[in-house]
Amino acid sequence: MNHKTIQETWRQEIGPQLRQIRLNKRQTISHVAGQLGFPVDWIDIIECGGKLSLRKYWRLIQYYGKKVHIQLVD
């Protein structure tokens, strides 16, 4: 697995989880975007696991007060 594939896989795993967190908190995309100073489109791209910098994903993770746990599996 190359570096690009790892990033894509990570985004695809984290994005939908971030969407679920937002929905559970009953926050709109526009509210979250405004709090972070992000365009609304960026939040949608992140939640879909799209190609955006990992730094932007990290900001959203921090905004929700979450941590990332990485685990190796067979």
Side-chain angles (χ1 to χ4, degrees):
M1 187 178 279
N2 64 35
H3 179 71
K4 185 175 180 182
T5 304
I6 291 170
Q7 285 186 4
E8 289 173 2
T9 301
W10 189 86
R11 287 181 182 111
Q12 291 169 356
E13 290 286 327
I14 297 294
Q17 292 180 54
L18 292 169
R19 174 171 297 198
Q20 192 59 53
I21 291 167
R22 178 180 58 78
L23 293 173
N24 290 346
K25 291 180 175 283
R26 297 182 178 177
Q27 295 182 354
T28 64
I29 288 179
S30 59
H31 173 78
V32 173
Q35 292 293 305
L36 292 172
F38 284 2
V40 172
D41 293 350
W42 285 6
I43 303 299
D44 190 47
I45 290 168
I46 290 170
E47 291 182 351
C48 291
K51 193 170 185 177
L52 213 55
S53 78
L54 296 179
R55 185 176 306 248
K56 291 177 180 67
Y57 276 78
W58 187 247
R59 291 237 353 251
L60 188 54
I61 290 165
Q62 289 178 318
Y63 171 76
Y64 291 133
K66 300 298 181 180
K67 296 180 182 180
V68 175
H69 176 83
I70 298 172
Q71 181 178 359
L72 299 174
V73 295
D74 288 330

